[in-house]
Amino acid sequence: MGTIRLVYRPTLSLLLLVFGFLVSPAWGQLDEDPRLMSRPDLIIRVQKSPVGADYVTIQVVAENYPPELLRQQCVRIGELAGGSSRGIEVTSVPTGTAPDGVPTMYLSASFAADNLIDRSLGILRLAPFAKAFAGNKEPFTIECIAISFAEESPGKNTIGNVQNDSVRIEGEFDASRRIVDYRIYLLTQDPEKIVVPDSLAEQTIRKVAPSNGSAWRLIPWIAGGAVLAGLLVYFALRPVGKKPPAKPKERPR
């Protein structure tokens, strides 16, 4: 299903996640002041290739994340999307040196899959990512996932904000860059209990309510080379603020 290749790369041009404004009744209104809701445990980029496959790149914030676990989760994403993950490559990227002199690094994975982006139906699928990364044991538990769909625009059927007992999702759209960004907060670590609608129609049928109140503008993410390394080191070391409440319809303060 793929290979694991642990290599050191001094630079890595990866993704640009810039959060802009929201564009439909399902997408909340932005606050004036940018605010970081919570550090993500994963930074994911998805982009449709010219040949039709969806290219996925994943960066893990936590240090010493097990490479084989990440590879298995990449495989699982493809399966949950109704296909397979192809050309899986897991690499170890250096971020510098810790105060005690120990080299620091983060894991990056890339692969191709299908059915994550369905432009004909206006669907950007989040469920495969949420379910694939749920259930990790400490200290590698995934609670917050940042996903960017590059070169995409939300349609009438694209989900925006979602709130239920298993997840809270905030969606934003940068029209100038055609990037649809999401933050997924896992409120349960049981993949079988995670409910993420693919479309607004499915959201209505399942009665999965959109988040109430205003969605926050998320801090811009500039990921590339040393900048990405610095961000990952920062998030790995900074104290974690409050996690989103487990109760639905409540928002972090």
Side-chain angles (χ1 to χ4, degrees):
M1 298 297 295
T3 60
I4 296 176
R5 185 159 62 92
L6 297 180
V7 299
Y8 289 93
R9 293 179 178 175
T11 61
L12 184 63
S13 296
L14 292 171
L15 61 104
L16 175 63
L17 297 177
V18 180
F19 299 97
F21 57 86
L22 310 184
V23 293
S24 79
W27 301 61
Q29 300 299 316
L30 295 175
D31 289 344
E32 293 182 0
D33 296 328
R35 190 181 306 182
L36 184 65
M37 289 191 293
S38 178
R39 79 177 195 184
D41 299 305
L42 300 171
I43 303 172
I44 300 175
R45 180 181 188 270
V46 186
Q47 184 169 7
K48 179 72 70 177
S49 74
V51 297
D54 303 321
Y55 290 162
V56 180
T57 302
I58 302 173
Q59 286 93 40
V60 183
V61 173
E63 293 184 54
N64 303 315
Y65 196 86
E68 180 59 26
L69 174 59
L70 181 58
R71 189 192 73 83
Q72 293 172 358
Q73 290 167 328
C74 291
V75 171
R76 186 62 178 147
I77 289 169
E79 294 173 345
L80 289 167
S84 63
S85 299
R86 305 176 297 281
I88 298 174
E89 181 177 336
V90 177
T91 60
S92 183
V93 183
T95 58
T97 304
D100 58 3
V102 177
T104 58
M105 62 189 68
Y106 70 91
L107 279 185
S108 175
S110 60
F111 60 92
D114 299 310
N115 306 319
L116 296 172
I117 299 174
D118 189 332
R119 290 173 175 168
S120 64
L121 298 178
I123 290 176
L124 304 175
R125 288 189 169 86
L126 301 177
F129 298 101
K131 292 183 178 183
F133 285 102
N136 282 8
K137 302 298 183 181
E138 292 288 354
F140 303 115
T141 302
I142 302 298
E143 296 182 317
C144 179
I145 304 173
I147 301 182
S148 170
F149 288 88
E151 299 298 322
E152 299 297 329
S153 300
K156 294 181 179 180
N157 208 28
T158 307
I159 67 169
N161 298 343
V162 174
Q163 175 77 63
N164 60 41
D165 290 335
S166 63
V167 297
R168 202 191 82 204
I169 298 173
E170 300 285 352
E172 301 194 26
F173 173 51
D174 184 338
S176 64
R177 297 178 180 272
R178 291 191 63 214
I179 296 178
V180 181
D181 290 306
Y182 291 97
R183 283 286 183 95
I184 303 175
Y185 294 92
L186 300 180
L187 305 182
T188 177
Q189 289 295 319
D190 185 348
E192 299 300 321
K193 293 182 179 180
I194 291 177
V195 177
V196 180
D198 284 339
S199 64
L200 286 181
E202 183 179 346
Q203 181 172 332
T204 301
I205 292 173
R206 292 190 179 188
K207 296 182 180 180
V208 179
S211 300
N212 294 325
S214 300
W216 289 347
R217 183 190 303 273
L218 304 179
I219 191 170
W221 294 83
I222 301 177
V227 178
L228 174 61
L231 282 173
L232 290 173
V233 170
Y234 167 73
F235 281 116
L237 298 179
R238 72 183 286 269
V240 180
K242 288 186 177 180
K243 295 292 182 181
K247 295 182 180 180
K249 298 184 180 180
E250 290 187 23
R251 306 184 60 82
R253 300 182 182 275

